[in-house]
Amino acid sequence: MFEFELIKESKECKARLGKIKTTHGEIETPIFMPVGTRATVKTMTPEELKELEAQIILSNTYHLYLKPGMEIIEKAGGLHKFMNWDKPILTDSGGFQVFSLSNNRKISEEGVEFRSHIDGSKKFLSPEISVDIQNTLGSDIMMCFDECAPYPSSYEYILNSMNRTTRWARRCKDHHKNVDNQALFGIIQGGMYKDLREISAKDLVALDFPGYAVGGLSVGEPLELMNEILDFTTDFMPKNKPRYLMGVGSPDYLFEAVERGIDMADCVLPTRIARNGTVITSKGKLVIKNAKYKDDFTPIDDECDCYTCKNYSRAYIRHLFNVDEILALRLATIHNLHFLINLMKKIRESIKNDTFMEFKDDFYNKYGYNKIRREF
Amino acid sequence: MFEFELIKESKECKARLGKIKTTHGEIETPIFMPVGTRATVKTMTPEELKELEAQIILSNTYHLYLKPGMEIIEKAGGLHKFMNWDKPILTDSGGFQVFSLSNNRKISEEGVEFRSHIDGSKKFLSPEISVDIQNTLGSDIMMCFDECAPYPSSYEYILNSMNRTTRWARRCKDHHKNVDNQALFGIIQGGMYKDLREISAKDLVALDFPGYAVGGLSVGEPLELMNEILDFTTDFMPKNKPRYLMGVGSPDYLFEAVERGIDMADCVLPTRIARNGTVITSKGKLVIKNAKYKDDFTPIDDECDCYTCKNYSRAYIRHLFNVDEILALRLATIHNLHFLINLMKKIRESIKNDTFMEFKDDFYNKYGYNKIRREF
């Protein structure tokens, strides 16, 4: 089962309110999806994610394919049971990771041969294998095997890559077995070239996927360029299907994406920077492990009502980072995930009330507009 | 406020049931105390400790003195507030740690000069300074500054050390300011020499502390020798005051200690071995990170009702260890702490019903008596 209901379109911009129904529950959009690369959102239990009102998490085909391997996930009865998470899961295709292994992979029409980053052993991923893996994982939303091309790339490179991604998308669709319970999304590529984005979008829309992602953005290009390409691309995406911008997770990028009609986004950013001692607050980012917080007994963010901010001071969290305690990573992760999940909740509320643009301006003014660009 | 009520003495052995009342709540004894060295029980939140029914935790004077330092704890309003734990805390004196720095410390009658293990800076601890620190920490139970002598040590070494520990105990008592809210315990030393244990116990009992610890045991001597010395020593300890055996935390040592009249024990063992991938079960220990559990979908212990065993398989936990995920450390820690806390609960029940010796035999038979000795 997979349905998308478009509840409302903003009067101010292309922002939308929607609801996705999956076998494992409903998802209100726009949404930020925490990343659980290796069958766990780093430092968190499933119950804690639910307390934060995480509606869906993302997990990674490449990593799970290597460890623990599909034999174990299959015996466990799928990824949900294996990791004790009964809400929706989205899995990527593994494409992003294997294409990142630039010195250790060989691309052909058939797929990508690569060496495992763990033990150097030879492996192979193709559209069919990626779909098989995701069928075994049992994710509610699967992604087509694609190439997320680097930035900058030549027109010719992107043209070839994009067309192959489209051919691979067709193979993914043809190979996908569990269509009733797992929705396979197509991924629009085309780099920073509008004509290629248009072709990619139209070709994939013709294949009639239940949802579409915009890939190949937020890969190092300026925010203005991302905004321009995204704005252009979403106009070619069906209104009655969910739209997912891959790899975006800082507050400003989320605002810009939603404004341009995006319903879903994911990124390791909030959890990764948390473990490095950086927290997101309504007044900008804050490096909590810095010595200047050693006797600051206020919470990370005095406007925040997360578990961390309700119970712990900056001084205590700074101490925990200073002595390498695991609780530091947990408290910072809880705060950052809460910040983004709660931000998306407020964004949904503002779309409902047609106050999204005002909410965005207010947020930027407080957060610090100049500080906001590519700050992480 | 500090009171100890002796509720019952076993008809079978020297085991006792008791209740300690402190400013931060009551403690049913016999009890195992989880260790939170640096103002956090590693990987755990205070709420999780309460869910495990931890009644009191231990924290370390030496570590907190160095980081974050007393100025910060004082500004925070004490250790309870700093770390968000409102139940009882016991602090050690710092003696164990500074005496362990065998190449970096100088002992005099006044105290111990040592170099910080963190930055090599020169520091000094004395009975008075240790008491001052513990007064600032605001722990419910404080320990006298003592030497925990190594095993083996000569009679002469132990005699001198033990007498100095007694002189230091007197200085601690004289210097202790917050007697209404913080109970200062004396520590009986004397190594493996019964006559010295007797002298130490009698000298300290004469100083009339509200509770007594047995120190200098479980330092590498055979279990049989520990049992003999402990059995001998507890006979010289007042019945109407709590008795604390320091540094003991494997199931067999806890049984042996309780049988000989001990009310309290602490050890880093359950939390430390958990982080190394070893879990305690009713059928003995289990190295959960081993490959043989990779497709074992049973819980760690099928008789256990902890959060970990109710929700996760050995295969999943083994996977988490295998890919260095923090959730692995959390789940193993929860299980091990639950095992010991729950064991002490069952021990209390068995003392109440005068079935302690039967319970001990049953436990040993199942756990594996031969495996049990010094296995960690």
Side-chain angles (χ1 to χ4, degrees):
Chain A
M1 125 121 167
F2 186 85
E3 286 172 28
F4 177 69
E5 182 192 348
L6 179 62
I7 293 171
K8 173 179 175 157
E9 293 181 284
S10 168
K11 290 176 185 146
E12 307 176 297
C13 61
K14 288 156 72 178
R16 309 132 47 94
L17 265 188
K19 188 181 277 182
I20 299 172
K21 291 180 187 175
T22 77
T23 310
H24 289 93
E26 297 185 355
I27 303 156
E28 290 181 62
T29 62
I31 178 92
F32 172 77
M33 304 181 284
V35 178
T37 302
R38 297 180 169 89
T40 165
V41 174
K42 284 186 193 302
T43 82
M44 303 283 289
T45 63
E47 288 76 11
E48 286 166 343
L49 289 167
K50 287 179 189 173
E51 226 168 280
L52 292 177
E53 298 178 36
Q55 304 181 66
I56 174 172
I57 61 167
L58 190 142
S59 206
N60 290 87
T61 286
Y62 170 82
H63 292 96
L64 296 175
Y65 174 52
L66 298 182
K67 282 187 179 181
M70 285 311 107
E71 196 189 322
I72 286 167
I73 300 279
E74 193 163 17
K75 278 191 193 168
L79 183 57
H80 287 89
K81 283 189 185 162
F82 185 59
M83 69 181 287
N84 187 36
W85 172 256
D86 57 10
K87 286 180 171 281
I89 296 175
L90 183 151
T91 46
D92 68 0
S93 70
F96 183 80
Q97 281 79 17
V98 295
F99 277 95
S100 303
L101 302 166
S102 45
N103 293 320
N104 284 305
R105 48 107 170 127
K106 221 172 79 187
I107 307 165
S108 67
E109 185 62 25
E110 179 57 20
V112 183
E113 190 183 284
F114 64 99
R115 289 193 179 273
S116 157
H117 75 282
I118 298 169
D119 60 8
S121 64
K122 227 178 240 183
K123 302 272 179 185
F124 189 74
L125 266 186
S126 67
E128 290 77 14
I129 295 172
S130 173
V131 164
D132 282 341
I133 295 170
Q134 294 182 76
N135 281 160
T136 299
L137 291 171
S139 47
D140 301 274
I141 300 176
M142 300 162 51
M143 302 307 297
C144 284
F145 191 66
D146 70 323
E147 178 181 9
C148 172
Y151 172 82
S153 289
S154 70
Y155 186 87
E156 201 190 341
Y157 184 92
I158 295 287
L159 175 67
N160 286 332
S161 163
M162 178 270 284
N163 278 327
R164 187 175 50 224
T165 286
T166 301
R167 292 191 297 276
W168 283 357
R170 190 185 310 266
R171 282 166 57 189
C172 284
K173 194 182 173 193
D174 289 346
H175 194 72
H176 179 32
K177 291 170 191 76
N178 189 15
V179 286
D180 286 346
N181 287 309
Q182 297 182 270
L184 175 67
F185 279 26
I187 303 176
I188 299 167
Q189 293 290 350
M192 306 302 155
Y193 305 102
K194 287 186 181 169
D195 58 334
L196 300 186
R197 285 279 169 191
E198 182 175 343
I199 295 169
S200 176
K202 286 181 173 170
D203 286 351
L204 290 171
V205 168
L207 289 173
D208 193 25
F209 287 102
Y212 293 92
V214 182
L217 289 182
S218 188
V219 288
E221 78 283 8
L223 177 59
E224 289 71 17
L225 181 55
M226 182 190 90
N227 286 343
E228 192 186 327
I229 300 296
L230 182 62
D231 206 23
F232 177 84
T233 306
T234 51
D235 284 343
F236 296 96
M237 299 170 81
K239 289 201 166 181
N240 62 342
K241 294 184 175 176
R243 302 162 172 176
Y244 162 29
L245 178 60
M246 305 179 84
V248 156
S250 64
D252 55 336
Y253 275 61
L254 290 170
F255 270 109
E256 301 299 334
V258 168
E259 186 177 339
R260 288 161 183 84
I262 289 296
D263 307 308
M264 307 158 70
D266 80 288
C267 195
V268 295
L269 181 136
T271 43
R272 180 171 291 166
I273 65 173
R275 296 195 307 282
N276 291 329
T278 297
V279 287
I280 311 170
T281 83
S282 53
K283 296 178 193 72
K285 74 168 177 174
L286 188 149
V287 184
I288 190 68
K289 67 178 178 182
N290 280 353
K292 69 172 168 177
Y293 301 114
K294 70 178 181 186
D295 56 358
D296 182 342
F297 294 99
T298 63
I300 287 175
D301 188 344
D302 54 19
E303 293 180 25
C304 181
D305 62 353
C306 80
Y307 169 75
T308 302
C309 288
K310 275 191 295 190
N311 293 291
Y312 302 94
S313 65
R314 294 172 174 186
Y316 180 64
I317 299 166
R318 187 261 165 189
H319 161 68
L320 294 178
F321 270 106
N322 195 34
V323 293
D324 292 324
E325 285 286 352
I326 282 168
L327 187 57
L329 315 183
R330 291 183 60 188
L331 296 180
T333 300
I334 287 171
H335 173 81
N336 279 359
L337 283 180
H338 174 270
F339 191 92
L340 291 192
I341 290 169
N342 193 47
L343 179 66
M344 296 309 276
K345 195 176 179 179
K346 288 186 201 160
I347 283 178
R348 290 196 297 272
E349 197 63 27
S350 76
I351 298 171
K352 195 173 166 186
N353 301 330
D354 285 312
T355 54
F356 173 78
M357 295 309 293
E358 185 190 331
F359 178 55
K360 182 187 166 197
D361 283 347
D362 287 351
F363 181 88
Y364 274 39
N365 283 334
K366 203 160 168 185
Y367 191 89
Y369 191 78
N370 290 323
K371 281 189 291 172
I372 219 164
R373 300 289 167 109
R374 315 213 59 79
E375 67 172 298
F376 295 117
Chain B
M1 125 121 169
F2 185 85
E3 286 172 28
F4 177 70
E5 181 192 349
L6 179 62
I7 294 171
K8 171 178 176 158
E9 293 180 284
S10 167
K11 289 174 187 148
E12 308 176 296
C13 60
K14 287 156 73 178
R16 311 135 43 95
L17 266 188
K19 188 180 278 181
I20 299 172
K21 292 181 187 173
T22 77
T23 309
H24 290 92
E26 297 185 357
I27 303 156
E28 290 181 62
T29 61
I31 178 92
F32 172 77
M33 304 181 284
V35 178
T37 303
R38 296 179 169 91
T40 166
V41 174
K42 284 188 194 301
T43 82
M44 302 282 290
T45 64
E47 288 77 11
E48 287 167 342
L49 289 167
K50 287 180 188 172
E51 227 169 279
L52 293 177
E53 299 179 36
Q55 305 181 66
I56 174 171
I57 61 169
L58 190 142
S59 207
N60 290 87
T61 286
Y62 170 82
H63 292 97
L64 297 175
Y65 174 52
L66 297 182
K67 282 185 178 183
M70 285 310 107
E71 195 188 322
I72 286 167
I73 300 279
E74 192 163 17
K75 277 191 193 167
L79 183 56
H80 288 89
K81 283 190 186 164
F82 185 59
M83 69 179 288
N84 187 36
W85 173 256
D86 57 9
K87 286 180 170 281
I89 296 174
L90 183 150
T91 46
D92 68 0
S93 70
F96 183 80
Q97 281 80 16
V98 297
F99 276 95
S100 303
L101 302 165
S102 46
N103 293 321
N104 284 305
R105 47 109 170 124
K106 223 172 79 185
I107 306 165
S108 66
E109 185 61 26
E110 179 56 21
V112 183
E113 189 184 283
F114 63 99
R115 290 193 179 273
S116 158
H117 74 282
I118 299 169
D119 60 7
S121 64
K122 226 178 242 184
K123 303 272 180 186
F124 190 75
L125 266 185
S126 67
E128 289 76 15
I129 295 172
S130 172
V131 163
D132 282 340
I133 294 170
Q134 294 182 77
N135 281 159
T136 298
L137 292 170
S139 48
D140 301 273
I141 300 175
M142 300 163 50
M143 302 306 298
C144 283
F145 191 66
D146 71 323
E147 177 180 11
C148 172
Y151 173 81
S153 289
S154 70
Y155 187 87
E156 200 189 343
Y157 184 92
I158 295 287
L159 174 68
N160 285 333
S161 164
M162 177 270 285
N163 278 327
R164 186 175 52 224
T165 285
T166 302
R167 292 191 297 274
W168 283 357
R170 189 186 311 266
R171 281 166 56 190
C172 284
K173 193 180 175 194
D174 289 346
H175 195 71
H176 179 31
K177 292 170 192 76
N178 189 14
V179 286
D180 286 345
N181 287 308
Q182 296 182 272
L184 175 67
F185 279 26
I187 304 176
I188 299 167
Q189 293 289 352
M192 306 302 156
Y193 305 102
K194 287 185 181 171
D195 59 332
L196 300 186
R197 285 279 170 189
E198 181 176 344
I199 294 169
S200 176
K202 286 181 173 169
D203 286 351
L204 289 171
V205 169
L207 289 173
D208 193 25
F209 287 103
Y212 293 92
V214 182
L217 288 183
S218 188
V219 288
E221 77 284 8
L223 177 58
E224 289 72 17
L225 182 55
M226 181 189 90
N227 286 343
E228 190 186 328
I229 300 297
L230 182 61
D231 205 25
F232 178 84
T233 306
T234 51
D235 285 343
F236 295 96
M237 299 170 80
K239 289 201 168 184
N240 63 343
K241 293 182 176 177
R243 300 163 174 176
Y244 162 29
L245 179 59
M246 306 180 84
V248 156
S250 63
D252 56 335
Y253 276 61
L254 290 171
F255 270 109
E256 301 299 334
V258 168
E259 186 178 340
R260 287 162 182 83
I262 288 297
D263 307 308
M264 307 159 70
D266 80 289
C267 196
V268 296
L269 181 136
T271 44
R272 179 171 292 166
I273 67 173
R275 296 195 308 282
N276 291 330
T278 297
V279 287
I280 311 170
T281 83
S282 53
K283 298 178 193 72
K285 74 169 176 174
L286 189 148
V287 183
I288 191 68
K289 68 178 177 180
N290 280 354
K292 68 172 169 178
Y293 301 115
K294 70 179 180 184
D295 55 358
D296 182 341
F297 294 99
T298 63
I300 289 175
D301 188 344
D302 53 19
E303 293 179 26
C304 180
D305 61 352
C306 80
Y307 169 75
T308 303
C309 289
K310 276 191 295 190
N311 292 292
Y312 302 93
S313 65
R314 293 172 175 185
Y316 180 64
I317 299 166
R318 187 262 166 186
H319 161 69
L320 294 178
F321 270 105
N322 195 33
V323 294
D324 292 325
E325 285 286 353
I326 282 168
L327 187 56
L329 315 183
R330 292 183 59 189
L331 295 180
T333 300
I334 287 171
H335 172 80
N336 279 358
L337 283 181
H338 173 270
F339 191 93
L340 290 191
I341 289 169
N342 193 48
L343 179 66
M344 296 309 276
K345 197 176 178 180
K346 288 185 202 161
I347 283 178
R348 290 196 298 272
E349 197 62 28
S350 75
I351 298 171
K352 195 173 164 187
N353 301 329
D354 285 312
T355 54
F356 173 78
M357 294 310 293
E358 184 191 332
F359 177 56
K360 182 188 165 194
D361 282 347
D362 288 350
F363 181 89
Y364 274 40
N365 283 334
K366 202 159 167 186
Y367 191 88
Y369 191 78
N370 289 324
K371 282 189 290 173
I372 218 163
R373 300 288 166 108
R374 313 213 61 78
E375 68 172 299
F376 296 116

